[in-house]
Amino acid sequence: MTSLAEEIRERLGECTATERRAALALLANYPVLGLGTVAQFASAAGVSSPTILRFAARMGCGTYAALQTRLRTELEDQLKSPLAKAKDGTQAGGAATAAGIGAVAEAVRANIGETFRHLPAAELEAVVSLLSDERRTIYLLGGRFTDALARYMAAHLRILRSGVMHMAGQEGNWRDALLDIGRRDVLVVFDIRRYQADLVRMATAAAKRGATVVLITDSWLSPIASVATHVLPARISVPSPWDSSAALMVIAETLVAGVTARDPERSERRMSALEAYRDEEDGKRAGPPKNEPPTAG
């Protein structure tokens, strides 16, 4: 199911100028702003109360109360721990059985399809363009479970271009990188529900230094979305206590494929150089050919 945050981003072009201000204000403080009164929402967005009601109607909510109900439901979903989902029969789904395992696989397949059905091609192209520009240093960062994706993506990008850094370790180490992050640089962050405050702090600090932030997140949108230039949401829910990272991985691989294709000569040149180096190293480890005596020395 499409989250309200995702739907708002997709439908910004349909909004009037004042409705767009309301939408952007909500996205910048999602979902908290929408849980207050109409007057509070209107004041924060700098629009009238009737504009907030028209915005709610445009998003398919007949009343402001209906908008708030949807926001509360999404907030509950955001905050669910694996334990809470395990106790929820609709989430656990009997995944331990063969049928349940098949249901998980089917949900993962559907997640990937739905993710790319809602991702605008122009947004993917814009991110590929950023990642392909060697004038920009690329920094990649992830959370407790998603840092493996950041590391995986960095390993591929490092083959294709120079100036790629995976930010590993503790938050204190990430802050050190802020000394070098500037206006021409890009920070790619993976962050999914139960969003990490340390990732939010790092992304906010990088944005303040002028870096372009690319967020790869879930359909409820990490708070990092408020400082991100590009947001790529993925479907992660499956009938299991655990969220699925499969769609996040496919986004990463799609971006890597795009960078490879953007400058095929550069990609081939760097891959060829790497293979030549590996062949040379393999030859050294193998020693002299069996039919040739070792060289005297």
Side-chain angles (χ1 to χ4, degrees), residues 19 88 98 127 131 139 158-159 183 187 195 234 241 254 257 269:
E19 289 169 357
D88 182 348
V127 176
L131 299 180
Y139 297 85
R158 201 174 290 123
I159 296 172
R183 303 185 70 84
L187 174 64
Y195 312 111
T254 298
R269 182 175 66 252

Side-chain angles (χ1 to χ4, degrees), residues 72-92 145 192-195 218 220 236-238 240-243:
R72 290 192 187 96
T73 300
E74 290 188 7
L75 182 59
E76 290 174 2
D77 288 339
Q78 281 184 21
L79 299 177
K80 277 185 178 178
S81 67
L83 178 61
K85 285 183 281 184
K87 292 179 179 179
D88 182 348
T90 61
Q91 290 286 332
F145 293 109
I192 59 176
R193 64 180 169 184
R194 306 196 82 196
Y195 312 111
D218 54 36
W220 300 281
I236 63 170
S237 293
V238 292
S240 164
W242 307 104
D243 287 329

Side-chain angles (χ1 to χ4, degrees), residues 128 132 156-157 160 253-268 271:
V128 166
S132 300
H156 284 80
L157 289 177
L160 299 171
E253 293 189 332
T254 298
L255 295 174
V256 168
V259 174
T260 306
R262 180 59 62 95
D263 190 340
E265 291 182 1
R266 180 184 67 188
S267 299
E268 184 175 348
M271 288 189 285

Side-chain angles (χ1 to χ4, degrees), residues 5 40 55 73 80 112 118 159 168 174 207 213 232 243 253 260:
Q40 289 170 332
F55 166 70
T73 300
K80 277 185 178 178
I112 294 170
H118 289 277
I159 296 172
W174 309 345
V213 177
L232 304 177
D243 287 329
E253 293 189 332
T260 306

